[in-house]
Amino acid sequence: MSRWEFWTWVAIAVLIFGSIGAFLWFLRDAVRLFEGRPEG
Amino acid sequence: MHPIDLALVGLYLAAMIAVGALVSRRITGFRDYFVASGRLTAPLLLCTLVSTYYGLDVLFGGSEVSYQEGLVAFFVYMRPYYLAILVAAFLIARKLRDREFMSLPDVAARYYGNGTRVVIAVASWLYSLPLLSIMGMGILLDVVVGIPFTWGVLLGATVAVVYTLLGGLLADALTDTVQFVLMCVTLGIAAALAMGEVGGVAGLEAALPASYFQPTGTYPTWVLVVFAASALSALIEPAFYQRIFAAVNYRAIVVALVLGIGLWAAYDWITTILGMAAAAMGLETEPRYALLTIVLELLPVGLKGLFVAGVLAAAMSTIDSYLLIAGGNMAYDIYRPLFRPDLGDRETLRLTRWMIVVSAIGCVAFALFFQSVVSAWIFMSTALVAAGFVPILAGLYLRRPPRPAAGLASSATGLVVALGFSALVWTFGAMDDEWGTMIWTVRIGEWALPLWQEYALLFALPASAVAFALGEWLGRRGARGDDDGARLPHAAIGRHAGELTETDLAAGGAQG
C-alpha cells in the first residue's frame, strides 16, 4: 500500500468516525450547553 | 432523483427550520443572538467551525483544481491554512478572550476607534457575503433535483435565512452539528466507493499523468506565494472570531481548532482524491462539478439523497453563519457607531435581523448577476486581509498602544489598494483560458509583467503596513475606542443582555 493510499483511507476513517464521534460528544454535552454550565 | 432521495432532502430542509424555531424562543438580546452569550462548548464549536469554514468553495473549488492539476490542490491551496489556524488557536484566541468582544470590527474599535471599525466592518461585510455557496446551491438543485437555478438559489437561501433569523448563532451552531455529520459522512462513503471504482491510488497513478502527483504542480512561483498568503485570512476570519467570542472558555477553542484541523485535512484530502478520481475515470464534466458528477454516479438510492443533503448542508452552514456576520456588521458595526450610538439592545437585535435579510437579498442579486464568482471570492478575501490584517494584529500584539491614525490609515489604504488593483486588472486585463483567471500584462518596452488578479494582496498588504507605520509616526496619540465611547453601547448590550440571558436560560434549563 502506497503512502497516498494509506492517507486516503485514514482520511475516510477520520471523516466518517471523527464526525460521528464529535456529534455524539456534542449530544452528551447538550444538557450542559442549555443549562449554561461551564465545561468541566 | 428517486422519490426517496427527494424526501430525504425535503426532510433535511424542514428540520433546519424547526431547529431555528425552537431556539428562537430562548433568544432575549443581541449578545444572546450574536455570540450565544458565550455558551458554545468544545464539541459544538468543533462542529460549527468545521462546517462553517468549509462551504462549496472548498468542495467544488478544491476538486476543480485536483481534477485539472492533481495533488497541488491539497499541498498548495489547503495546507497553509492549517498552520494559520494553529497560530489562531494558540496565539490569537487567548488575546481575544482577554476582553469582551463580539465581532472582528469590535477589536478594531477597541484599539483605534470607530473610523477603523467601520472600514474593517465594510471589508468584513464584503468578505462575509456567501456568494459561492449560494450560487453553488442553485446549481446543485438545478443539476440534481431539477429546480431551475434562480428558484434553487431563492429556496436554499430562504431556508438558511429563516432559521438564522429565528435563532441567531445558537440555531446556526446547532444546525451546523447535523450539517457537519452529513457533509463528512457522505463524502467519506463516496470516497470509499470511488476508491473501489478506480482501483485505489494505484489506479489513479496508472490513469493520470505524473504531473498530477507533483505537490507544487506547474503554477508560477508568485501564484504559489499568493495562495499561501491567502491563508493569512484565517488569522482575522470573522466567523472564527465570532466563535472565539462565543466559546464557553479558551480551552474549548483550542480543543475545537486542533481537532478541527484533523477533520479539515481529511476533508481536503478526500476532496482532492475525488477530483482526481473523476479525471481518472474520464468523466466529461465541467471541472468545477467533477466531484458532484463522480459521487452521483457512484452512490446508490438513499445515499444519493443523503449526499445531496450533505452538499446542501455544506452550503447552508456557510451561508447562515456568514449572513449572520454580514447582518451584524451592518447593524452593530456600521449603523450603530455612525448614526445611533445610543441604540439599545432590543433595537440592535431587531436591526441585525433586518440587515441579515438585506445582506441575503444583496448576495442573491450578486450571485444571479456575476458570472465569475471565483473572481469575486478572491477579491472579497483580499479585501478582508488588506484592510484588517495589519491593524488587528498590531493592536493585539504591539506593546505600546497604537495610534488611532495608524489603524485608520492602514485599513483604508489596504482596502483602497485592493479595490484599485482589482479594478485595474478587471478593466485592462483579459481572461486567460489556460489559468482561468484575469491577467493584465503590463508592457514597458521589451519587458512584460503579467499581473494576475490574485496579486492584489501582494500590493495591498505592504501598502497597509506602510500606511500603518506612517500613521504611527505622524498621527497624534489620542482617544482610542476605550475612551471615545466606542465601546459604551457594546458594554451595555453585552453584559446586560448576557446576564439576562444566562438567568433566563438557567431558569429554562431547570424547568426542562
Side-chain angles (χ1 to χ4, degrees):
Chain A
M1 183 185 277
S2 73
R3 60 184 172 142
W4 301 136
E5 182 102 35
F6 172 75
W7 285 115
T8 302
W9 286 108
V10 168
I12 290 171
V14 167
L15 275 184
I16 296 174
F17 300 111
S19 63
I20 291 173
F23 186 69
L24 295 176
W25 183 23
F26 155 70
L27 288 181
R28 207 195 68 174
D29 224 43
V31 176
R32 179 189 294 160
L33 169 81
F34 282 100
E35 288 179 355
R37 282 190 277 131
E39 281 199 318
Chain B
M1 264 179 36
H2 194 278
I4 293 175
D5 292 319
L6 286 175
L8 283 168
V9 174
L11 189 69
Y12 160 75
L13 293 175
M16 296 301 101
I17 292 183
V19 170
L22 280 174
V23 172
S24 69
R25 286 187 285 175
R26 292 173 172 268
I27 301 296
T28 58
F30 181 75
R31 184 172 155 77
D32 205 15
Y33 185 73
F34 201 63
V35 289
S37 290
R39 276 178 291 133
L40 299 196
T41 53
L44 191 52
L45 278 170
L46 172 63
C47 297
T48 183
L49 278 166
V50 171
S51 60
T52 293
Y53 200 43
Y54 274 20
L56 295 191
D57 45 349
V58 173
L59 196 65
F60 290 172
S63 55
E64 176 187 1
V65 176
S66 66
Y67 177 78
Q68 294 173 304
E69 297 268 334
L71 291 182
V72 65
F74 178 82
F75 286 101
V76 175
Y77 268 114
M78 300 158 174
R79 207 174 47 169
Y81 279 90
Y82 312 144
L83 184 62
I85 292 166
L86 273 180
V87 172
F90 286 103
L91 297 179
I92 294 178
R94 186 183 287 279
K95 285 268 183 190
L96 292 172
R97 294 285 300 183
D98 287 347
R99 289 180 177 266
E100 276 197 34
F101 297 120
M102 283 207 277
S103 68
L104 170 71
D106 245 1
V107 184
R110 157 75 179 82
Y111 295 106
Y112 309 103
N114 279 333
T116 311
R117 160 190 236 143
V118 170
V119 175
I120 292 180
V122 169
S124 168
W125 183 79
L126 268 175
Y127 174 85
S128 299
L129 290 180
L131 277 180
L132 190 62
S133 282
I134 280 200
M135 200 166 177
M137 202 163 51
I139 291 165
L140 176 78
L141 290 174
D142 185 8
V143 172
V144 180
V145 189
I147 298 173
F149 175 74
T150 307
W151 288 109
V153 165
L154 289 174
L155 173 70
T158 304
V159 173
V161 166
V162 165
Y163 70 74
T164 308
L165 275 181
L166 288 169
L169 182 65
L170 190 55
D172 174 6
L174 290 175
T175 50
D176 280 350
T177 59
V178 180
Q179 291 162 343
F180 162 76
V181 177
L182 265 179
M183 64 189 248
C184 290
V185 169
T186 53
L187 194 71
I189 293 172
L193 291 174
M195 289 293 280
E197 189 73 19
V198 299
V201 174
L204 292 181
E205 284 173 325
L208 295 171
S211 64
Y212 271 69
F213 295 87
Q214 286 173 7
T216 54
T218 54
Y219 282 106
T221 309
W222 282 113
V223 179
L224 298 180
V225 171
V226 170
F227 285 160
S230 69
L232 294 176
S233 65
L235 300 181
I236 51 163
E237 229 287 334
F240 276 6
Y241 274 41
Q242 188 188 29
R243 280 151 183 76
I244 287 170
F245 307 142
V248 70
N249 55 34
Y250 172 67
R251 182 178 158 272
I253 301 162
V254 172
V255 168
L257 282 174
V258 170
L259 292 178
I261 287 173
L263 281 150
W264 277 313
Y267 197 87
D268 286 335
W269 182 256
I270 292 307
T271 304
T272 304
I273 290 293
L274 280 173
M276 291 169 68
M281 286 170 68
L283 293 178
E284 287 296 324
T285 175
E286 202 180 318
R288 187 179 301 179
Y289 307 123
L291 185 142
L292 197 59
T293 311
I294 185 176
V295 170
L296 291 177
E297 185 125 334
L298 293 176
L299 287 182
V301 170
L303 277 182
K304 202 179 281 189
L306 274 182
F307 179 76
V308 172
V311 178
L312 278 178
M316 289 169 68
S317 59
T318 303
I319 293 167
D320 54 16
S321 301
Y322 285 102
L323 281 180
L324 179 61
I325 292 168
N329 285 148
M330 288 180 80
Y332 175 74
D333 295 309
I334 298 176
Y335 178 80
R336 190 183 56 86
L338 281 185
F339 304 109
R340 285 283 309 278
D342 60 336
L343 200 66
D345 186 48
R346 284 272 170 195
E347 290 165 299
T348 307
L349 174 57
R350 195 179 314 123
L351 187 64
T352 301
R353 284 178 156 144
W354 276 110
M355 291 301 113
I356 288 172
V357 177
V358 169
S359 301
I361 292 170
C363 192
V364 169
F366 279 137
L368 296 176
F369 180 75
F370 279 112
Q371 292 297 311
S372 174
V373 178
V374 175
S375 305
W377 186 84
I378 290 166
F379 165 71
M380 285 146 63
S381 61
T382 298
L384 177 72
V385 177
F389 184 80
V390 173
I392 294 285
L393 293 193
L396 289 173
Y397 281 99
L398 283 184
R399 282 170 185 268
R400 196 181 60 175
R403 298 174 191 223
L408 188 57
S410 171
S411 56
T413 305
L415 192 58
V416 167
V417 172
L419 277 169
F421 181 89
S422 302
L424 283 173
V425 175
W426 290 337
T427 306
F428 298 110
M431 176 57 75
D432 184 285
D433 290 334
E434 186 189 350
W435 296 107
T437 188
M438 292 292 284
I439 299 178
W440 175 31
T441 305
V442 178
R443 295 183 192 284
I444 305 168
E446 295 283 302
W447 188 63
L449 176 67
L451 294 175
W452 292 38
Q453 63 174 350
E454 283 84 353
Y455 290 177
L457 194 60
L458 295 178
F459 294 88
L461 198 54
S464 172
V466 169
F468 185 89
L470 284 174
E472 273 290 279
W473 183 35
L474 300 172
R476 283 188 308 164
R477 193 160 295 287
R480 289 182 292 129
D482 263 3
D483 312 319
D484 66 2
R487 271 179 45 84
L488 285 177
H490 161 220
I493 284 172
R495 301 208 177 95
H496 181 58
E499 283 162 16
L500 275 180
T501 307
E502 296 282 341
T503 312
D504 182 53
L505 279 169
Q511 284 161 9

